[in-house]
Amino acid sequence: MSLLAAVVISSNRDACVAAAVVEERVLDLVACAVVEILEGEFSRIAAAAASLAAGAALSHLSPSSSPFLFASAKLADRGRVDSARKQQQRRQWQQRKAKASSSRRIKKNGNPIEEGGAAAYRGNRGGDDEKILEGEARRLQHDEEEASEDYVGNDAVGSIRGAGEQRQRSDVTMLHPFDDSPDSSDTGGRHLSSQLTGCCTQYISYDAMQMCSLYGEDCESGEQPSHDSGDDSCEQEGLSFIGVSFSVNTARGNPLSYQLCDQFPMENIIDREYEYVMSMDEDGWLVGGGYKSFDYSGKMPYIDSSHTELLRIGSVDPEYGGTTIEQVYEAMESLSFPPFAIFPEYVKGGGGHHSSDDGEDKSVPSSDVTLIVSVVDTYEDGDSYSSYEEFLDDLFDAMDAVGGGPCMDDHDTDPHVSMSRGVKFKSSYHQSQYFYNANLEVAVWQAMYPKGVVIGSEGYASFPPDTGSKNKMHIGYGNLYFFFDRANITQAFLPNRDLSSTEKYYSTLYSGGQSDGFYESTTTIGFDYNKASGSGDNNKEQEYYEHNPYGWNAKMAKHDMTDGWDLPPSCNQEGETFFGIPLSQRSDSKLMSSSSFQDQFDFEYLTDRNFTYIKEFGTNHGWLVGEQIGNGAGSIVDKDTAHIPLFYTGTTNPDMGGMSLDSLIKIAKEINFGTLYIKPAFVFQDDDGSVKLQFEADANSALGYLYSALCQMIGISWNYDSPYNDLGLYTNCAMHAAGDRAKYGCGPENGNSGGFCPQMTLAYRVAFESDDQAAAYLERCNDYVDYWRSLYPSGVAVGTSKFCPDGGCLALFLNRYDIFYAFKPELGGSWVEFMTGTFAPTISPAPTYDGGCDNPHNMHLDNCFKKKHARKATAVAWDSLGSVGQFSLILIAFMSSTLAISIFLARAKRRRQDGESYLSFLIRDIKPKKKKKRKKLRKRVGRGSLDEDLLDDDDEDEGGFRSVPARPGRQSTKNIKSTNKGGRPPRSTKKADQPKRSRSKSRSRRESSSTPKARGGTSGMDMDENVEMVELSKSKDADVKSARSSRSKSRSRRESPDKTMDANVKNTKLSRSRSRSKTARSRSKSKSGRKTPTKVPEAELNRRQLV
């Protein structure tokens, strides 16, 4: 039976389309289209036919020749199957919708749900009844799915029953990349790493405005400011001002904070430990030292910006009615003012855009915390105007004289110090306790400074902060400052005189350590501080409230960052840490440095720098995609912080219920997610006034599966669902439930009851010039979004050549400012990415494919990369030296080489031959020279016993001593020299000769008395030597006598002693030669004698043993 016949019989067009898509039969799909034409729904079938035709054409290609196209074809097939399945479900919903009444409330597990479904939450301002009914139908479909799974919806008030059950759900198998268990057939059991590339193909033909309608948002209108300056000529509101700074530098605050106030310890009036406060906006405490980057709360790492405004300058762009910075400097330099004293009044609450002062919102109210101060009026010489009032009059006159713009306020600002915004206390009791402790500190200040105190410090600072030490100045006391924005002081203006002794005493009272007595004596508060502290009426007691953590729901993950969080159970501290996708680019600002994390989108086209459409920002923040220095609105000069938050993990303090950073990193390393593709959908303004860029929330994409994996691993226990992971690491402060999934997030195909909704915030609380201007701005932005949608029809994996070159990486954010860690998809590695610095990748669980590092699939994993690109030991040692060590080695090598060259040139200059080149000389000098043969000198051997063997046994017989006779040849030579000099020998000659002769005689006697056989025939040699010695002495005596007789003769006959000396020398040489020959003969005889030792009689041996 043909497919067309089946359609006619069954009249099920969706089944026809599904069958044709699955079987890839184009003709049958055309047959289905004929039936669809009759119903007027040809467009849907035409789109399916076009995509199927493309898939059929790609199917003829070889996967090996074109793997990318083949994968795209598979992706298109998957999209068509899902489309057919969902369209069939939509038809079923419409049939059920006809049976249900539009006024009937749909119940889920006995809990009523408001009519309108997603429209009630997302603020469907169009009021389209058809969309509301479709939302109810989608809820009905999800109700059936949840009933089968025993799932209680996240949008209902939750219960913690079963929160302690750490049971593993079947869809946890998605964390294991190759789990073939039967439980993995569910959508949650798909392998993240094998996810096909691309996303968001369901609405590929929709433009931005159509997508905005599908998501239930309004992209044609915007909010207008509730108030303005009252001057129509001011086209741009600004935040620049002149005021007094209370900034302090504390150990727990930002180390770059100024120390400009030694009088008020502002850290004593804040709750940094979260004893009373539950949450605040993303800026946290604006006083008390600021925040560090690694603060547990994840607040913005700003410096201390505590101040009080004296005059709001507003915009600094003269084209829009502002006053330039140069005009402000010129006006202030023309003024003369004394040091103004500041008196602390009290700390109060109230105010804020979500303060609940009107009583409409019954949840935990949020408010601003403010320190009220006043400028002390001093009068001189009986004047009716105080010094401060005269200064204000002179200031307005000076601003008018320099041509100040109309955006400047026409009156001075009520002095106050904004401490924090969007503060939510744990309960009304905690709120009252906080204000009591804070105002008790203020009471101590009032006791120390009964008439106020001049603010200042003895330190040094540089203004503006980017000048560093180039513009460092002594701070002093009584300064006024120009604040370009809340966090940037650009100029300090000094008073016209120094402090008096009394003023100096009070200004240095606290810094001098003299405040202990005031703290001990002040125990009560002597003023009324319960003024607008969240009650709305000063004379009325504050209404009781308490935070209910069980009223938390999963939709709270889509949070307004200008307000505090509602924390889940067992969480005692808020946190802004989250997993997300970085989209920022390098900032042009010199005050803030940032890195580029993507090259695919340029969000500058979505901003309105010239304030053509926008009137003002409701906060001190301007464009979050990067603000310019010198911007006319005076917004904080932030770097580009564009990102898509995916999963808010909460505080990183485990003691307060959170999870530490190292635990979060371990969890992320365990998730084998695919390449993260994103696709812009539209730009809109939400109910909180923030302008956002919505991305398509495709629950079947790798981004959707990653969100589901994070929920089931580290989501909080909620509605009988508990998280599970192999590491056993959990948190109570995540803003996502363990049972939440991407399919419950925002979007036309999802349940609109969960926290999955990829959005990027462009600006907070934007106020447009008019409704038409808002529509024009949104239309301009969405036109560019349409261009991106056509450029990336299947989404894009963002990245750069230096950061995540393959695209699709995940990042761990400490806060909106700082990225701390990055993770590549498919367990490809992870590394530290912090403060524009990148460190070596860490070890990830690898390899994941068979074959180890030989498999090309594992080439990007850390272990394989390290093996194939292992660095040499020399390179590692060279890098370990650092820049200083490397420069030192290079300098030593250079100096050594120059020294060697200098030595060579000096050597060549002395030894180089005529006409010889330096190279020839070098070669000749390098060649080894032939050594000259030296005549070997015969060793002279003496006549004494030193010539004998040192190990001779005869030494023992002689008592262990050896007598060394004198050398007659040397002695005769000395005698001859002495005779030649003086004509007669010296007096000591005879005395010296006598003992020598006696020793020789005694030795000859001892040697002659010894046994001839034992001596080896040496006695004859000794006798010959004695005879020669006697003859030599006789010749010496004759010489002496001849020398004495010749003294009386004339000098002409002095040649006879010379002849005698020659004869003596000849005799001496002759005697030496004879002695050498005799010594040689004696050695030979002694050796032969040792070879045949003489036997000693037994009687002699016994006698020796007895001795």
Side-chain angles (χ1 to χ4, degrees):
M1 183 182 295
S2 65
L3 183 62
L4 181 59
V7 171
V8 173
I9 294 175
S10 63
S11 298
N12 192 340
R13 295 183 300 274
D14 294 305
C16 171
V17 175
V21 168
V22 172
E23 298 179 5
E24 298 186 358
R25 297 172 60 182
V26 180
L27 296 179
D28 290 341
L29 186 62
V30 172
C32 296
V34 175
V35 181
E36 291 290 336
I37 292 174
L38 300 177
E39 300 293 333
E41 298 182 359
F42 177 74
S43 59
R44 181 171 61 88
I45 298 300
S51 60
L52 180 59
L58 292 174
S59 62
H60 296 288
L61 298 176
S62 173
S64 59
S65 61
S66 181
F68 177 77
L69 296 178
F70 189 74
S72 301
K74 290 184 177 180
L75 178 63
D77 294 342
R78 179 176 65 86
R80 291 193 301 273
V81 173
D82 292 341
S83 175
R85 176 177 55 82
K86 294 175 181 178
Q87 289 170 358
Q88 182 180 2
Q89 293 175 355
R90 187 179 294 107
R91 295 296 183 186
Q92 296 176 359
W93 297 338
Q94 291 178 355
Q95 293 175 3
R96 295 176 184 176
K97 177 186 64 177
K99 298 178 181 180
S101 175
S102 60
S103 60
R104 178 184 176 184
R105 291 190 177 184
I106 302 174
K107 294 186 177 181
K108 183 188 326 184
N109 297 332
N111 295 328
I113 296 179
E114 296 181 1
E115 298 180 0
Y121 169 72
R122 304 300 298 171
N124 187 355
R125 284 166 284 203
D128 193 348
D129 296 337
E130 182 179 356
K131 293 180 182 179
I132 295 177
L133 293 177
E134 289 181 359
E136 292 179 351
R138 287 195 297 270
R139 283 189 178 277
L140 179 60
Q141 189 268 344
H142 282 287
D143 292 346
E144 295 176 354
E145 294 180 357
E146 294 165 0
S148 61
E149 298 178 1
D150 294 333
Y151 176 80
V152 180
N154 288 320
D155 56 346
V157 176
S159 172
I160 62 169
R161 289 177 294 176
E165 301 177 2
Q166 299 292 337
R167 57 187 179 88
Q168 182 177 1
R169 296 174 59 87
S170 60
D171 53 359
V172 177
T173 57
M174 65 187 294
L175 301 178
H176 305 284
F178 297 101
D179 187 7
D180 296 331
S181 62
D183 294 337
S184 62
S185 59
D186 185 49
T187 57
R190 299 186 63 174
H191 307 316
L192 298 184
S193 60
S194 60
Q195 177 71 33
L196 296 176
T197 58
C199 75
C200 317
T201 57
Q202 178 66 26
Y203 303 100
I204 194 172
S205 61
Y206 284 64
D207 60 9
M209 299 302 293
Q210 291 174 335
M211 294 298 298
C212 183
S213 178
L214 287 177
Y215 278 73
E217 301 294 347
D218 182 11
C219 297
E220 296 181 353
S221 62
E223 295 184 358
Q224 285 76 45
S226 58
H227 63 278
D228 53 25
S229 61
D231 196 333
D232 295 336
S233 58
C234 179
E235 300 177 3
Q236 182 186 65
E237 298 292 337
L239 301 174
S240 300
F241 62 91
I242 297 173
V244 179
S245 176
F246 298 91
S247 175
V248 294
N249 188 295
T250 60
R252 300 185 60 182
N254 194 306
L256 301 179
S257 296
Y258 290 115
Q259 180 62 38
L260 304 179
C261 177
D262 292 343
Q263 292 71 36
F264 298 143
M266 305 296 289
E267 64 273 15
N268 293 345
I269 59 175
I270 65 175
D271 182 21
R272 199 183 286 270
E273 302 294 339
Y274 284 85
E275 295 181 5
Y276 313 104
V277 173
M278 180 177 65
S279 60
M280 297 170 284
D281 69 349
E282 66 172 6
D283 294 335
W285 293 107
L286 306 179
V287 302
Y291 286 92
K292 297 179 181 179
S293 296
F294 288 89
D295 192 86
Y296 286 137
S297 63
K299 297 301 181 183
M300 298 293 288
Y302 286 143
I303 63 175
D304 189 335
S305 59
S306 54
H307 63 269
T308 180
E309 294 185 12
L310 300 182
L311 176 63
R312 174 70 67 90
I313 300 297
S315 174
V316 294
D317 192 343
E319 296 182 1
Y320 298 93
T323 305
T324 63
I325 298 177
E326 291 76 12
Q327 289 175 333
V328 176
Y329 291 172
E330 183 180 356
M332 288 297 298
E333 290 174 355
S334 64
L335 299 178
S336 176
F337 58 91
F340 297 119
I342 305 297
F343 182 79
E345 298 286 351
Y346 57 91
V347 177
K348 75 177 189 70
H353 65 293
H354 293 297
S355 63
S356 301
D357 288 340
D358 52 3
E360 294 180 0
D361 190 359
K362 299 302 181 181
S363 63
V364 177
S366 64
S367 61
D368 297 343
V369 178
T370 307
L371 170 64
I372 303 300
V373 297
S374 60
V375 180
V376 178
D377 291 329
T378 57
Y379 299 88
E380 297 179 0
D381 300 333
D383 294 337
S384 59
Y385 288 93
S386 65
S387 301
Y388 179 63
E389 292 175 340
E390 291 180 357
F391 165 74
L392 291 177
D393 293 339
D394 295 340
L395 178 58
F396 283 110
D397 293 340
M399 296 298 295
D400 293 338
V402 298
C407 291
M408 183 180 64
D409 286 352
D410 297 333
H411 56 83
D412 61 311
T413 307
D414 294 333
H416 66 277
V417 180
S418 297
M419 297 174 56
S420 184
R421 299 186 176 96
V423 181
K424 290 186 177 181
F425 292 93
K426 297 178 180 180
S427 66
S428 57
Y429 171 77
H430 290 85
Q431 177 178 340
S432 62
Q433 290 296 311
Y434 165 75
F435 282 111
Y436 174 80
N437 292 327
N439 284 284
L440 183 61
E441 178 71 19
V442 175
V444 176
W445 296 349
Q446 292 183 359
M448 285 193 295
Y449 316 119
K451 296 183 179 181
V453 62
V454 179
I455 305 300
S457 174
E458 289 291 347
Y460 292 84
S462 298
F463 307 106
D466 61 336
T467 58
S469 59
K470 300 179 181 178
N471 196 21
K472 184 171 290 187
M473 58 169 288
H474 179 257
I475 298 173
Y477 299 91
N479 296 342
L480 299 181
Y481 302 95
F482 174 73
F483 292 77
F484 173 76
D485 59 60
R486 190 190 70 199
N488 292 317
I489 300 175
T490 60
Q491 186 68 30
F493 305 101
L494 307 182
N496 55 13
R497 64 175 177 84
D498 295 332
L499 299 183
S500 63
S501 59
T502 303
E503 293 172 338
K504 186 73 171 181
Y505 166 76
Y506 285 109
S507 296
T508 58
L509 180 63
Y510 183 82
S511 60
Q514 304 177 22
S515 60
D516 295 339
F518 295 97
Y519 280 95
E520 294 176 358
S521 60
T522 305
T523 58
T524 58
I525 302 176
F527 53 87
D528 182 16
Y529 62 88
N530 190 20
K531 301 176 181 180
S533 298
S535 63
D537 189 355
N538 296 342
N539 300 323
K540 176 183 174 182
E541 292 185 2
Q542 181 177 326
E543 296 181 0
Y544 176 80
Y545 70 88
E546 184 177 1
H547 169 59
N548 180 19
Y550 306 117
W552 180 90
N553 62 76
K555 292 188 296 184
M556 291 182 178
K558 294 177 286 187
H559 176 64
D560 178 18
M561 303 306 294
T562 63
D563 200 18
W565 297 84
D566 286 335
L567 300 182
S570 301
C571 181
N572 299 320
Q573 182 180 0
E574 63 172 337
E576 311 289 346
T577 305
F578 62 91
F579 287 105
I581 300 177
L583 299 176
S584 60
Q585 293 181 327
R586 183 172 298 277
S587 175
D588 295 333
S589 172
K590 296 180 181 179
L591 295 179
M592 295 292 178
S593 59
S594 60
S595 300
S596 294
F597 298 107
Q598 57 90 17
D599 295 331
Q600 288 72 27
F601 300 103
D602 187 2
F603 299 114
E604 186 65 24
Y605 295 100
L606 305 182
T607 61
D608 182 19
R609 303 286 185 188
N610 297 327
F611 281 74
T612 304
Y613 311 99
I614 294 176
K615 179 70 174 180
E616 65 178 4
F617 297 106
T619 66
N620 294 100
H621 302 282
W623 295 106
L624 304 185
V625 295
E627 194 55 88
Q628 298 175 345
I629 297 178
N631 62 87
S635 301
I636 295 178
V637 184
D638 284 337
K639 63 181 181 180
D640 189 352
T641 59
H643 65 276
I644 300 176
L646 180 63
F647 189 93
Y648 283 97
T649 61
T651 179
T652 56
N653 187 358
D655 297 334
M656 303 294 282
M659 181 181 291
S660 62
L661 286 175
D662 58 341
S663 299
L664 292 174
I665 294 172
K666 291 177 183 179
I667 291 294
K669 288 182 179 180
E670 292 292 324
I671 303 178
N672 189 5
F673 61 91
T675 303
L676 303 179
Y677 280 75
I678 57 175
K679 182 179 179 181
F682 55 90
V683 176
F684 71 105
Q685 187 177 24
D686 66 1
D687 296 336
D688 299 320
S690 299
V691 176
K692 296 182 177 181
L693 171 61
Q694 176 73 53
F695 291 83
E696 290 198 28
D698 188 356
N700 296 320
S701 63
L703 186 64
Y705 282 105
L706 174 60
Y707 176 82
S708 300
L710 289 170
C711 288
Q712 66 189 72
M713 290 186 74
I714 57 175
I716 64 173
S717 298
W718 194 254
N719 290 335
Y720 302 99
D721 290 297
S722 300
Y724 176 82
N725 57 77
D726 295 334
L727 301 176
L729 302 174
Y730 304 99
T731 177
N732 295 323
C733 294
M735 298 306 295
H736 306 267
D740 192 11
R741 297 294 182 268
K743 62 183 179 181
Y744 305 135
C746 65
E749 300 298 329
N750 301 322
N752 289 280
S753 60
F756 177 66
C757 193
Q759 296 176 346
M760 187 193 77
T761 304
L762 294 172
Y764 295 138
R765 298 173 58 188
V766 177
F768 292 93
E769 296 283 351
S770 63
D771 201 5
D772 294 337
Q773 296 289 76
Y777 167 77
L778 295 176
E779 182 181 2
R780 190 198 71 169
C781 293
N782 287 312
D783 288 343
Y784 207 81
V785 172
D786 289 336
Y787 164 73
W788 285 335
R789 292 180 60 82
S790 63
L791 188 63
Y792 310 115
S794 298
V796 60
V798 297
T800 64
S801 59
K802 295 182 179 180
F803 174 82
C804 193
D806 297 331
C809 291
L810 178 70
L812 175 61
F813 289 76
L814 298 176
N815 43 61
R816 178 167 58 88
Y817 251 46
D818 300 321
I819 294 177
F820 179 61
Y821 226 84
F823 308 89
K824 292 185 66 175
E826 300 183 4
L827 299 179
S830 58
W831 64 95
V832 175
E833 186 79 26
F834 180 68
M835 296 292 288
T836 69
T838 301
F839 298 90
T842 56
I843 297 175
S844 62
T848 57
Y849 289 86
D850 296 335
C853 295
D854 296 332
N855 192 329
H857 293 87
N858 299 327
M859 62 181 298
H860 296 295
L861 300 179
D862 294 341
N863 293 342
C864 300
F865 184 85
K866 291 179 180 179
K867 290 181 179 179
K868 294 184 179 181
H869 301 83
R871 300 185 63 191
K872 297 182 179 179
T874 55
V876 175
W878 176 256
D879 293 341
S880 64
L881 294 176
S883 58
V884 177
Q886 293 173 0
F887 175 77
S888 301
L889 287 181
I890 294 174
L891 182 61
I892 292 173
F894 175 75
M895 295 175 64
S896 301
S897 60
T898 54
L899 180 61
I901 293 173
S902 301
I903 294 174
F904 169 74
L905 294 177
R907 184 181 179 88
K909 185 176 180 181
R910 289 186 290 105
R911 299 189 178 187
R912 190 163 58 95
Q913 298 177 359
D914 296 339
E916 185 180 14
S917 63
Y918 284 98
L919 180 60
S920 301
F921 171 75
L922 178 62
I923 296 173
R924 181 171 60 84
D925 194 45
I926 291 175
K927 289 182 178 180
K929 298 181 180 179
K930 296 181 179 180
K931 295 183 179 180
K932 296 181 180 180
K933 294 183 179 181
R934 295 182 178 181
K935 185 177 181 181
K936 295 183 179 181
L937 301 178
R938 296 180 62 184
K939 184 177 180 181
R940 296 181 179 181
V941 183
R943 298 189 180 190
S945 60
L946 289 175
D947 300 334
E948 298 176 0
D949 192 359
L950 296 176
L951 300 178
D952 197 347
D953 295 335
D954 296 340
D955 295 340
E956 297 179 358
D957 297 342
E958 297 176 3
F961 297 98
R962 302 177 63 184
S963 60
V964 181
R967 298 177 63 180
R970 180 174 297 178
Q971 186 64 32
S972 62
T973 306
K974 290 181 180 180
N975 294 336
I976 294 170
K977 290 182 179 180
S978 61
T979 305
N980 293 336
K981 289 180 181 180
R984 61 179 181 179
R987 298 178 181 178
S988 60
T989 303
K990 291 182 180 181
K991 295 180 180 179
D993 291 341
Q994 290 178 359
K996 290 182 180 180
R997 284 196 297 267
S998 63
R999 284 197 298 269
S1000 62
K1001 290 179 180 180
S1002 63
R1003 179 164 184 174
S1004 63
R1005 295 192 189 101
R1006 287 196 302 268
E1007 290 176 352
S1008 61
S1009 63
S1010 62
T1011 308
K1013 293 182 181 181
R1015 302 294 297 172
T1018 58
S1019 59
M1021 182 188 67
D1022 294 337
M1023 293 175 64
D1024 296 339
E1025 289 178 355
N1026 294 334
V1027 172
E1028 290 178 359
M1029 292 296 293
V1030 172
E1031 293 177 355
L1032 183 60
S1033 61
K1034 290 181 180 180
S1035 63
K1036 288 181 179 179
D1037 294 339
D1039 294 338
V1040 171
K1041 290 179 181 180
S1042 61
R1044 289 177 180 177
S1045 62
S1046 63
R1047 288 179 182 177
S1048 59
K1049 298 180 181 180
S1050 60
R1051 298 177 61 92
S1052 61
R1053 300 180 62 184
R1054 288 181 181 177
E1055 296 178 358
S1056 58
D1058 298 335
K1059 294 179 180 180
T1060 306
M1061 181 183 65
D1062 295 338
N1064 293 334
V1065 171
K1066 291 180 181 180
N1067 294 333
T1068 304
K1069 292 181 179 181
L1070 180 60
S1071 63
R1072 287 182 179 178
S1073 61
R1074 290 178 180 177
S1075 63
R1076 290 194 190 101
S1077 60
K1078 290 180 180 180
T1079 304
R1081 287 196 300 268
S1082 64
R1083 287 181 179 176
S1084 60
K1085 290 179 182 181
S1086 63
K1087 290 180 181 180
S1088 62
R1090 281 195 297 270
K1091 290 180 181 179
T1092 57
T1094 305
K1095 294 183 179 180
V1096 181
E1098 294 181 1
E1100 184 67 18
L1101 290 175
N1102 294 333
R1103 185 182 65 80
R1104 292 182 179 179
Q1105 291 177 358
L1106 292 175
V1107 173

